[in-house]
Amino acid sequence: MESLNIIPSFLPIGISSPPALFVFFLTFTFFLHIIFVNLTLGGSLLLLSSKYISKIYGDNNYNMIAEELGYLNTFNISLTVTTGVAPLLFVQTIYGNFFYTSSFLLSFKWLFVLAAVIFAYYFYYLYKMKPLYIRYSGGKGIIFIVLAALLFLYVAFMLVSNTVLSTHPEAWKEVYLNKRAFFDLPTLLPRYIHFVFAATAFAGLFLMVYSRMRKSFSKELKEKMYSFGKKSFFVVTLAQIPVGIWLLLSHEKEIMMLLMGESLLGTVSFIIALIAAAAALAVVLLKKDNIYLFAGLGVVITIFMVLIRRTIENGYFSKYVNIYNMETNPQWGIFIIFLVLLVAVLGILGFTLFKINRELKPENK
């Protein structure tokens, strides 16, 4: 296979822990990361939608929903960046020879991701703080959210592109020689649309839960926020059905079959994710107002979608390398330090969320 000749070799020193541990922590930390990614990206799109509805129908409740989303996303962005470090490091450790090559092929387009996140973060703060004339302008700085949303869509596209390109070494040579565009890969476009839709649906589900948690909101605002989140979740999740089928069929047959019986983990995850999504639609359709059920279904769907993603990516990489055969040079002291730091970070993350919850109380806002 020609592509094997252009895949860089693993580091000869070996990795510091068994590969299975790296795969486990990659999956776990990515799950934490994707929650805040969904809230940031989906929240940005819902903010713009809410602002548009407010302008068209003159309903100030939707303007207040947009302001609340803008306020929340300043926290979500920082948590997205913070929780994104660990899965990125795990990917670089066990799939570094694939990831670095695809990053190199994307060149400046990949490097701009960091700048895009920084600019988007500042744009959100300009919208939140509304300095100088922005406070008195008609649009109240919504242009900054438009720019931030475009930058986040760009970041999402590049992350999906890098992931897909890293799993297709057979395309690297043609991409390098400019004989083929990286976005020409068959799974890239449906995967990107699926990603953006999933983030929007998750943010809609979050709004439903959040509207019931904020006792300080007026009854009218709570109902408008709940209804807006419900419609967003329901419509976008329905739209996911054809997109999901498109994404599934865009994979090579042997990869697709990992979700259809060839892989126990992939098949079980696929079935549970479908059942959970259908249950969430049914609960919303039947007007069941149970925030714990909504939150639980959202977490279950996210967990099993992450496992599906891991199954598919492992399927692609396994055509070229078996990471479980990687040379290991265990350094358990470092691993114990990592575990201690991970627990500390999770504790800090929990404390941060607690403080944010207190910050959101009306007397502190």
Side-chain angles (χ1 to χ4, degrees):
M1 190 179 293
E2 183 184 357
S3 53
L4 284 175
N5 299 326
I6 59 175
I7 299 173
S9 302
F10 283 110
L11 290 175
I13 59 174
I15 57 177
S16 58
S17 299
L21 277 179
F22 279 99
V23 173
F24 171 79
F25 283 110
L26 167 61
T27 308
F28 174 68
T29 54
F30 183 78
F31 162 71
L32 296 178
H33 174 59
I34 201 66
I35 287 177
F36 296 108
V37 169
N38 288 339
L39 293 176
T40 298
L41 178 59
S44 298
L45 299 177
L46 291 187
L47 190 163
L48 292 176
S49 302
S50 184
K51 204 75 174 180
Y52 178 76
I53 294 172
S54 170
K55 183 177 178 60
I56 294 299
Y57 296 101
D59 189 337
N60 191 51
N61 284 302
Y62 285 95
N63 184 53
M64 294 174 70
I65 294 172
E67 293 297 314
E68 191 69 17
L69 283 169
Y71 184 75
L72 290 174
N73 256 4
T74 52
F75 300 109
N76 291 330
I77 296 169
S78 60
L79 290 170
T80 299
V81 174
T82 302
T83 56
V85 174
L88 181 62
L89 292 176
F90 287 124
V91 165
Q92 291 175 347
T93 301
I94 55 179
Y95 299 119
N97 46 348
F98 296 89
F99 180 78
Y100 282 125
T101 307
S102 58
S103 300
F104 171 79
L105 291 172
L106 292 174
S107 64
F108 69 91
K109 296 180 286 297
W110 175 248
L111 290 176
F112 185 67
V113 165
L114 185 60
V117 172
I118 293 173
F119 280 124
Y121 198 18
Y122 281 119
F123 285 151
Y124 254 97
Y125 265 95
L126 285 172
Y127 178 76
K128 176 181 175 180
M129 306 305 293
K130 295 181 174 43
L132 303 175
Y133 73 93
I134 296 175
R135 188 182 300 274
Y136 307 103
S137 66
K140 300 286 181 65
I142 193 61
I143 183 62
F144 293 114
I145 299 300
V146 172
L147 294 173
L150 289 174
L151 288 172
F152 285 138
L153 286 171
Y154 172 80
V155 171
F157 182 70
M158 293 315 301
L159 289 171
V160 171
S161 298
N162 202 343
T163 301
V164 173
L165 186 58
S166 70
T167 58
H168 289 80
E170 71 278 4
W172 290 352
K173 185 176 180 181
E174 289 183 314
V175 172
Y176 177 72
L177 295 174
N178 290 323
K179 293 181 178 179
R180 183 179 187 180
F182 69 90
F183 47 78
D184 184 43
L185 295 169
T187 61
L188 198 153
L189 185 57
R191 183 164 177 164
Y192 176 63
I193 297 174
H194 189 271
F195 186 96
V196 174
F197 280 12
T200 308
F202 188 91
L205 202 60
F206 167 78
L207 268 187
M208 294 172 67
V209 175
Y210 187 72
S211 68
R212 295 299 186 248
M213 293 173 64
R214 295 303 307 273
K215 300 187 184 303
S216 60
F217 286 170
S218 68
K219 185 177 180 181
E220 183 182 11
L221 176 59
K222 290 170 71 172
E223 291 307 314
K224 289 287 177 67
M225 182 179 284
Y226 180 88
S227 175
F228 180 58
K230 173 183 172 181
K231 290 175 182 174
S232 302
F233 169 76
F234 192 78
V235 172
V236 177
T237 303
L238 282 181
Q240 281 283 52
I241 295 174
V243 175
I245 295 173
W246 179 21
L247 175 58
L248 183 65
L249 296 177
S250 68
H251 291 294
E252 301 163 12
K253 185 178 179 181
E254 62 181 286
I255 300 297
M256 183 177 70
M257 292 308 294
L258 293 174
L259 307 182
M260 306 259 176
E262 293 294 328
S263 164
L264 178 62
L265 177 64
T267 304
V268 170
S269 299
F270 187 56
I271 292 172
I272 293 178
L274 287 179
I275 293 174
L281 283 174
V283 168
V284 170
L285 193 62
L286 295 172
K287 300 181 180 178
K288 298 291 184 185
D289 192 355
N290 187 325
I291 62 171
Y292 298 106
L293 186 57
F294 293 145
L297 286 170
V299 170
V300 168
I301 293 171
T302 305
I303 289 174
F304 287 96
M305 290 303 292
V306 168
L307 291 175
I308 291 171
R309 173 193 172 103
R310 184 58 29 223
T311 301
I312 290 176
E313 289 177 5
N314 282 342
Y316 277 112
F317 287 127
S318 65
K319 294 192 298 182
Y320 305 99
V321 63
N322 184 349
I323 61 167
Y324 297 101
N325 290 335
M326 290 175 68
E327 182 179 349
T328 57
N329 182 19
Q331 300 176 42
W332 295 111
I334 294 177
F335 180 70
I336 291 172
I337 292 174
F338 163 75
L339 278 183
V340 171
L341 292 176
L342 177 64
V343 171
V345 167
L346 290 176
I348 293 171
L349 183 61
F351 181 71
T352 303
L353 293 174
F354 171 75
K355 293 287 288 183
I356 290 173
N357 186 49
R358 288 194 61 186
E359 181 74 12
L360 290 174
K361 288 183 177 178
E363 61 268 23
N364 295 326
K365 196 171 171 183

